[in-house]
């Protein structure tokens, strides 16, 4: 057995400091290894930056400020078994549990799940936490009523159709799956909240993944791009019926900036795509 890789070096802001940035093809195994390692290292900094906005028991769908308590995209969750994919520190799962759902919270990152365990104890709302890859869900077929992923793991998965097929497999017939992801329109623009930076710098149609590497050229962070059409075809190809596509507008009065998301930029272009799917 090979020893685990050393911890990633951190920059002054607490996030992993890449040795380089490139665009190149990346497969499933490399994506999983890189992103598990990156999120394990980044969890403290990410939650220090965004934890207050995410809350401990809350369901935020996206940086625009859309919350499930207002949107009701999952419908009535009381008494339903719900799977959350890419739960992070699991505030959405605890919100669902408080609303009466039987929840399973799943994430690739042990670092994120460690924080979720702390918040389970602090909030008094314990949800089961599972470390697993969405491409191999450790759940029986047709065993959950609903599934959700609020800016969870899907943009980091190479085989997104395979991931969606796994979610469809564990859903009962008629079950709903709702997922929010980076809006594909964000890909061609610089990663900046400033609306003055809304100048196309790459092709919307270039699906080559964004990759951060260590000093030896190994991937330590991978993000995959799909067009809107790619997302639709992936969902339908995985066996889902697509009931709706949402592009949330910026919540009036919300001042929170989140990476390239900001009130000024959110007034001009969409930042989030939400897929509302159903297993027939």
């Amino acid at each position: 057995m090979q020893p685990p890789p050393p911890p990633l070096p951190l920059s002054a802001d607490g996030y992993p400091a890449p040795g380089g940035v490139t665009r190149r093809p990346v497969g499933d195994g490399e994506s999983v290894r890189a992103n598990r390692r990156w999120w394990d290292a980044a969890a403290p900094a990410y939650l220090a930056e965004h934890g207050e906005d995410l809350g401990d028991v809350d369901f935020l769908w996206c940086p625009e400020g859309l919350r499930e308590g207002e949107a009701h995209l999952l419908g009535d969750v009381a008494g339903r078994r719900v799977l959350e994919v890419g739960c992070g520190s699991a505030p959405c799962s605890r919100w669902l549990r408080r609303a009466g759902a039987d929840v399973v919270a799943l994430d690739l990152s042990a670092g994120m799940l460690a924080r979720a365990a702390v918040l389970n104890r602090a909030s008094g709302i314990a949800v089961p936490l599972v470390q697993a890859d969405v491409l191999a869900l450790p759940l029986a077929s047709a065993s959950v009523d609903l599934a959700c992923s609020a800016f969870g793991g899907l943009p980091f998965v190479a085989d997104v159709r395979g991931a969606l097929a796994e979610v469809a497999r564990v859903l009962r017939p008629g079950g709903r799956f709702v997922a929010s992801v980076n809006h594909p329109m964000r890909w061609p623009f610089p990663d900046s909240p400033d609306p003055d930076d809304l100048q196309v710098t790459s092709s919307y149609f270039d699906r080559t993944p964004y990759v951060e590497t260590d000093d030896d050229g190994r991937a330590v962070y991978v993000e995959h791009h799909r067009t809107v059409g790619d997302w639709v075809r992936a969902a339908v190809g995985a066996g889902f019926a697509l009931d709706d596509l949402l592009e949330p507008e910026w919540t009036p009065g919300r001042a929170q900036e989140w990476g390239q998301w900001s009130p000024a930029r959110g007034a001009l272009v969409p930042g989030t795509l939400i897929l509302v799917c159903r297993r027939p």
Side-chain angles (χ1 to χ4, degrees), residues 56-59 77 91-101 103 125 127:
D56 296 344
V57 187
D58 201 357
F59 198 131
V77 301
C92 299
S93 284
R94 283 187 291 276
W95 184 92
L96 290 165
R97 182 69 191 92
R98 190 174 63 184
V103 187
I125 303 175
V127 296

Side-chain angles (χ1 to χ4, degrees), residues 115-153:
R115 181 59 180 162
V118 170
L119 293 176
N120 273 356
R121 294 189 292 270
S123 67
I125 303 175
V127 296
L129 304 172
V130 179
Q131 185 179 13
D133 181 358
V134 68
L135 287 166
L137 294 174
L139 297 171
S141 297
S143 61
V144 301
D145 300 301
L146 299 166
C148 60
S149 183
F151 263 72

Side-chain angles (χ1 to χ4, degrees), residues 160 164 204-205 207 225-235:
V160 73
L164 294 177
Y204 173 82
F205 301 103
R207 278 84 161 180
H225 168 62
R226 283 107 194 171
T227 66
V228 173
D230 291 340
W231 281 111
V232 171
R233 284 185 291 275

Side-chain angles (χ1 to χ4, degrees), residues 5-254:
L8 293 173
L10 303 180
S11 59
D13 61 4
Y15 286 94
V21 174
T22 187
R23 299 276 291 275
R24 64 171 173 81
V26 180
D28 294 324
E30 190 176 14
S31 282
V32 168
R33 289 189 298 272
N35 287 319
R36 179 189 288 122
R37 190 180 175 203
W38 194 91
W39 283 105
D40 282 352
Y46 180 85
L47 294 172
E49 183 179 5
H50 300 298
E52 184 176 352
D53 198 27
L54 291 167
D56 296 344
V57 187
D58 201 357
F59 198 131
L60 179 68
W61 277 112
C62 55
E64 286 81 1
L66 183 69
R67 285 178 156 80
E68 177 61 13
E70 303 157 356
H72 306 294
L73 299 181
L74 294 170
D76 184 6
V77 301
R80 313 294 294 279
R81 191 167 194 234
V82 185
L83 168 66
E84 183 183 6
V85 175
C87 68
S89 59
C92 299
S93 284
R94 283 187 291 276
W95 184 92
L96 290 165
R97 182 69 191 92
R98 190 174 63 184
D102 174 19
V103 187
V104 176
L106 179 144
D107 203 278
L108 185 66
S109 166
M112 280 292 188
L113 292 175
R115 181 59 180 162
V118 170
L119 293 176
N120 273 356
R121 294 189 292 270
S123 67
I125 303 175
V127 296
L129 304 172
V130 179
Q131 185 179 13
D133 181 358
V134 68
L135 287 166
L137 294 174
L139 297 171
S141 297
S143 61
V144 301
D145 300 301
L146 299 166
C148 60
S149 183
F151 263 72
L154 295 182
F156 307 104
V157 177
D159 179 13
V160 73
R161 179 168 171 174
L164 294 177
E166 265 292 90
V167 175
R169 177 186 67 80
V170 303
L171 273 173
R172 297 187 176 105
R176 184 180 300 181
F177 174 51
V178 183
S180 59
V181 298
N182 299 347
H183 197 290
M185 275 299 295
R186 288 293 163 121
W187 188 256
F189 299 118
D191 189 7
S192 164
D194 189 341
D196 290 340
D197 291 333
L198 285 175
Q199 299 182 32
V200 173
T201 57
S202 64
S203 172
Y204 173 82
F205 301 103
D206 182 2
R207 278 84 161 180
T208 309
Y210 168 86
V211 183
E212 294 180 2
T213 63
D214 61 18
D215 290 335
D216 296 319
R218 291 184 296 258
V220 296
Y221 176 94
V222 182
E223 189 168 338
H224 298 268
H225 168 62
R226 283 107 194 171
T227 66
V228 173
D230 291 340
W231 281 111
V232 171
R233 284 185 291 275
V236 173
F240 282 111
L242 192 64
D243 288 339
D244 203 356
L245 286 175
L246 302 177
E247 298 165 296
E249 295 187 43
W250 198 265
T251 299
R254 178 173 166 82

